[in-house]
mmCIF file of all heavy atoms in Angstrom:
data_model
loop_
_atom_site.group_PDB
_atom_site.id
_atom_site.type_symbol
_atom_site.label_atom_id
_atom_site.label_comp_id
_atom_site.label_asym_id
_atom_site.label_seq_id
_atom_site.Cartn_x
_atom_site.Cartn_y
_atom_site.Cartn_z
ATOM 1 N N VAL A 228 102.243 109.514 101.651
ATOM 2 C CA VAL A 228 103.269 108.988 102.532
ATOM 3 C C VAL A 228 103.255 109.726 103.893
ATOM 4 O O VAL A 228 103.299 109.202 104.902
ATOM 5 C CB VAL A 228 104.619 109.077 101.838
ATOM 6 C CG1 VAL A 228 105.721 108.513 102.845
ATOM 7 C CG2 VAL A 228 104.730 108.318 100.596
ATOM 8 N N HIS A 229 103.146 111.078 103.646
ATOM 9 C CA HIS A 229 103.161 112.024 104.833
ATOM 10 C C HIS A 229 102.111 111.700 105.843
ATOM 11 O O HIS A 229 102.290 111.809 107.032
ATOM 12 C CB HIS A 229 102.999 113.410 104.230
ATOM 13 C CG HIS A 229 103.248 114.544 105.125
ATOM 14 N ND1 HIS A 229 104.418 114.874 105.637
ATOM 15 C CD2 HIS A 229 102.358 115.422 105.652
ATOM 16 C CE1 HIS A 229 104.348 115.953 106.397
ATOM 17 N NE2 HIS A 229 103.053 116.283 106.423
ATOM 18 N N CYS A 232 103.276 108.835 107.918
ATOM 19 C CA CYS A 232 104.749 108.770 108.285
ATOM 20 C C CYS A 232 104.970 108.823 109.768
ATOM 21 O O CYS A 232 104.390 109.633 110.432
ATOM 22 C CB CYS A 232 105.478 109.875 107.568
ATOM 23 S SG CYS A 232 107.238 109.933 107.930
ATOM 24 N N ARG A 234 107.318 110.213 111.053
ATOM 25 C CA ARG A 234 107.921 111.493 111.348
ATOM 26 C C ARG A 234 106.927 112.717 111.223
ATOM 27 O O ARG A 234 107.349 113.863 111.240
ATOM 28 C CB ARG A 234 109.152 111.741 110.491
ATOM 29 C CG ARG A 234 110.224 110.687 110.694
ATOM 30 C CD ARG A 234 111.436 110.772 109.751
ATOM 31 N NE ARG A 234 112.190 109.583 109.937
ATOM 32 C CZ ARG A 234 113.523 109.648 110.183
ATOM 33 N NH1 ARG A 234 114.144 110.736 110.171
ATOM 34 N NH2 ARG A 234 114.224 108.461 110.335
ATOM 35 N N GLY A 235 105.718 112.354 111.019
ATOM 36 C CA GLY A 235 104.652 113.449 110.729
ATOM 37 C C GLY A 235 104.597 114.429 111.870
ATOM 38 O O GLY A 235 104.438 115.694 111.648
ATOM 39 N N TYR A 238 107.303 117.012 111.617
ATOM 40 C CA TYR A 238 106.982 118.008 110.585
ATOM 41 C C TYR A 238 106.048 119.045 111.201
ATOM 42 O O TYR A 238 106.322 120.306 111.043
ATOM 43 C CB TYR A 238 106.345 117.348 109.357
ATOM 44 C CG TYR A 238 106.008 118.263 108.200
ATOM 45 C CD1 TYR A 238 106.826 118.362 107.124
ATOM 46 C CD2 TYR A 238 104.816 119.051 108.271
ATOM 47 C CE1 TYR A 238 106.543 119.212 106.048
ATOM 48 C CE2 TYR A 238 104.530 119.926 107.229
ATOM 49 C CZ TYR A 238 105.388 120.008 106.140
ATOM 50 O OH TYR A 238 105.116 120.819 105.059
ATOM 51 N N CYS A 252 112.139 115.121 110.784
ATOM 52 C CA CYS A 252 111.569 115.100 109.421
ATOM 53 C C CYS A 252 112.602 115.384 108.321
ATOM 54 O O CYS A 252 113.384 116.370 108.514
ATOM 55 C CB CYS A 252 110.410 116.117 109.412
ATOM 56 S SG CYS A 252 109.809 116.404 107.645
ATOM 57 N N ILE A 253 112.639 114.633 107.277
ATOM 58 C CA ILE A 253 113.717 114.793 106.326
ATOM 59 C C ILE A 253 113.202 115.466 104.990
ATOM 60 O O ILE A 253 113.819 115.255 103.952
ATOM 61 C CB ILE A 253 114.282 113.435 105.956
ATOM 62 C CG1 ILE A 253 113.179 112.332 105.668
ATOM 63 C CG2 ILE A 253 115.225 112.894 107.114
ATOM 64 C CD1 ILE A 253 113.729 110.977 105.369
ATOM 65 N N VAL A 254 112.252 116.313 105.163
ATOM 66 C CA VAL A 254 111.715 116.973 103.990
ATOM 67 C C VAL A 254 112.792 117.878 103.290
ATOM 68 O O VAL A 254 112.924 117.957 102.074
ATOM 69 C CB VAL A 254 110.438 117.775 104.265
ATOM 70 C CG1 VAL A 254 110.684 118.989 105.155
ATOM 71 C CG2 VAL A 254 109.709 118.246 102.954
ATOM 72 N N CYS A 258 112.639 114.742 100.776
ATOM 73 C CA CYS A 258 111.440 113.892 100.972
ATOM 74 C C CYS A 258 110.227 114.492 100.270
ATOM 75 O O CYS A 258 109.777 115.602 100.550
ATOM 76 C CB CYS A 258 111.106 113.634 102.431
ATOM 77 S SG CYS A 258 109.706 112.467 102.574
ATOM 78 N N GLY A 260 107.265 113.064 100.396
ATOM 79 C CA GLY A 260 106.158 112.399 101.084
ATOM 80 C C GLY A 260 104.827 113.164 101.122
ATOM 81 O O GLY A 260 103.713 112.587 100.969
ATOM 82 N N PRO A 261 104.835 114.522 101.341
ATOM 83 C CA PRO A 261 103.603 115.191 101.479
ATOM 84 C C PRO A 261 102.689 115.161 100.223
ATOM 85 O O PRO A 261 101.481 115.397 100.258
ATOM 86 C CB PRO A 261 104.076 116.646 101.705
ATOM 87 C CG PRO A 261 105.372 116.503 102.475
ATOM 88 C CD PRO A 261 105.996 115.343 101.765
ATOM 89 N N ALA A 280 110.638 106.751 104.454
ATOM 90 C CA ALA A 280 110.870 107.924 105.286
ATOM 91 C C ALA A 280 110.926 107.479 106.813
ATOM 92 O O ALA A 280 111.607 108.108 107.598
ATOM 93 C CB ALA A 280 109.766 108.970 105.049
HETATM 94 FE FE1 LIG B 429 106.410 113.986 105.690
HETATM 95 FE FE2 LIG B 429 108.675 113.014 104.592
HETATM 96 FE FE3 LIG B 429 108.776 114.434 106.858
HETATM 97 FE FE4 LIG B 429 107.728 111.943 106.797
HETATM 98 S S1 LIG B 429 109.884 112.569 106.440
HETATM 99 S S2 LIG B 429 106.823 113.738 107.802
HETATM 100 S S3 LIG B 429 106.759 111.912 104.750
HETATM 101 S S4 LIG B 429 108.018 115.179 104.831
#
Side-chain angles (χ1 to χ4, degrees):
V228 180
H229 190 68
C232 180
R234 299 175 188 231
Y238 182 98
C252 167
I253 49 180
V254 70
C258 185

